[in-house]
Amino acid sequence: MLRVHFTATDLVRTRVSDGADPLWETVLSLHRLQDQHPDPALAACRRSGHGDRRGPLGMLLPLVPRRGYFPDFLTPPAAAAGIEPGLDALMSTPRARLRAELSVLAARNPLPSWTRSLADGEPAALRRLARALRTYHQGTLGPRWPHITRRANSDRALRLHALWHGGAEAMLRTYGSSMRWRPPVLEVAYPVDRDLRLDGRGLLLVPSCYARSPVALADTALPPTLVHPVKPRTADDDRPAYESLAPLLGHTRAAVLQALGGEPTTTELARRAGVSLSSASEHAAVLREAGLVSSVRQSNAVRHALTPLGSALLRGAG
């Protein structure tokens, strides 16, 4: 069991990620790829060029065994902003950390000889690793990313609804039997027995479509992060929530509402919803007047977020 110890400050600072993290999803899908009966989309990867062990998987699978420990440097916090910022952060990992984390992995699983250059922080080795992660992510998860994003945003809306209406403790009670809130400790089903003391840093909760069960960073000195499986799949998960809202709001406005996960800028909102910048701004204004959206200006951009009412409307539709 993993016991996550909270203080009052930690409850205030606990937050939900803006959505699926591309590097966490990449790494955890590599776990799942090695299941006896993997997800059909991952099984297809094994039969394609991306699954050739002389290709990306030849480099990635030794670093991500079927179960258990994998290096924390594979999932830097910067990946929350996208795979490229995440890979840039990975390639900047200090040599001492590379050596330490690869030593932990080597003590549990023999590593191929090429990992010595990675442990030495050789730029060419780090570039090869980043290229393998990018190629695998784009080829395997890329086609499914809208689906992954939709499920992560649906989970996020559920957690934020509880947070807005009942506070952090109410949100922590929404995770089911694998994560039980027993104040001031979150008890998490875990393969090893350990304690994580937040010490005022708060906790970042990240939904994942590929996590078998909750997983935390191994190094307790890193920003506390807990990745958890998204809420159980339902028959409607593959149907965009805006389809049932379209008769009420109109197809375009409902699509704009659905695209609001992660506090996008107006430009990002337009891209997600497939509308012009002026149209996105107009629809966001109407939704804001209806109390479904809140908007805040940050420097030269305006960011939009679902209100509790907007979140509840999407949850009910989905």
Side-chain angles (χ1 to χ4, degrees):
M1 177 181 291
L2 169 66
R3 291 170 293 274
V4 185
H5 299 263
F6 286 74
T7 65
T9 301
D10 292 314
L11 287 171
V12 172
R13 293 181 174 173
T14 290
R15 59 209 186 280
V16 179
S17 75
D18 286 346
D21 182 299
L23 282 182
W24 271 108
E25 292 299 79
T26 296
V27 170
L28 292 174
S29 75
L30 288 165
H31 269 318
R32 302 301 294 269
L33 178 65
Q34 300 171 76
D35 286 347
Q36 185 174 0
H37 301 290
D39 178 281
L42 298 180
C45 164
R46 288 204 297 208
R47 296 191 295 269
S48 72
H50 296 298
D52 189 338
R53 287 178 180 266
R54 292 169 298 178
L57 292 186
M59 174 167 271
L60 299 178
L61 291 182
L63 301 179
V64 186
R66 182 168 179 260
R67 291 187 180 276
Y69 176 83
F70 57 83
D72 288 331
F73 67 73
L74 293 174
T75 55
I83 189 157
E84 292 305 328
L87 294 177
D88 287 343
L90 184 154
M91 288 189 288
S92 300
T93 305
R95 181 183 303 175
R97 183 177 166 196
L98 291 168
R99 285 182 175 174
E101 294 183 8
L102 287 171
S103 294
V104 173
L105 181 61
R108 307 178 187 202
N109 302 278
L111 293 178
S113 58
W114 64 262
T115 58
R116 287 196 290 269
S117 60
L118 185 62
D120 288 338
E122 293 184 10
L126 286 162
R127 286 195 298 270
R128 286 196 300 272
L129 175 58
R131 185 164 56 248
L133 286 164
R134 182 187 296 109
T135 301
Y136 171 80
H137 173 85
Q138 292 175 345
T140 304
L141 303 191
R144 292 175 55 82
W145 199 249
H147 168 80
I148 291 169
T149 298
R150 187 161 60 246
R151 293 196 66 200
N153 286 345
S154 176
D155 186 281
R156 181 177 187 271
L158 170 68
R159 312 307 174 188
L160 291 180
H161 180 76
L163 178 66
W164 281 325
H165 286 275
E169 293 194 69
M171 180 185 69
L172 292 172
R173 292 190 180 98
T174 66
Y175 288 93
S177 59
S178 64
M179 295 167 57
R180 292 187 179 275
W181 175 240
R182 301 183 187 277
V185 177
L186 182 66
E187 296 178 346
V188 182
Y190 218 67
V192 296
D193 192 65
R194 57 178 288 207
D195 289 89
L196 172 59
R197 299 186 183 278
L198 301 180
D199 295 328
R201 295 174 294 171
L203 179 67
L204 176 64
L205 293 153
V206 182
S208 168
C209 289
Y210 290 106
R212 295 188 185 102
S213 57
V215 57
L217 294 168
D219 186 349
T220 58
L222 294 172
T225 302
L226 186 62
V227 181
H228 61 87
V230 296
K231 67 183 181 66
R233 187 184 181 88
T234 69
D236 287 330
D237 275 338
D238 290 321
R239 183 174 68 122
Y242 66 77
E243 288 185 2
S244 57
L245 291 174
L248 174 66
L249 301 177
H251 284 279
T252 303
R253 191 162 296 155
V256 170
L257 185 69
Q258 171 72 11
L260 276 162
E263 300 183 5
T265 64
T266 307
T267 300
E268 292 167 339
L269 186 60
R271 177 178 51 80
R272 292 181 187 180
V275 299
S276 68
L277 185 61
S278 60
S279 179
S281 179
E282 177 185 346
H283 287 299
V286 173
L287 293 169
R288 185 166 56 249
E289 288 296 319
L292 303 177
V293 172
S294 63
S295 303
V296 176
R297 177 168 290 279
Q298 292 182 351
S299 300
N300 295 324
V302 176
R303 292 193 172 274
H304 309 279
L306 288 169
T307 64
L309 180 59
S311 175
L313 183 63
L314 276 179
R315 285 178 54 227

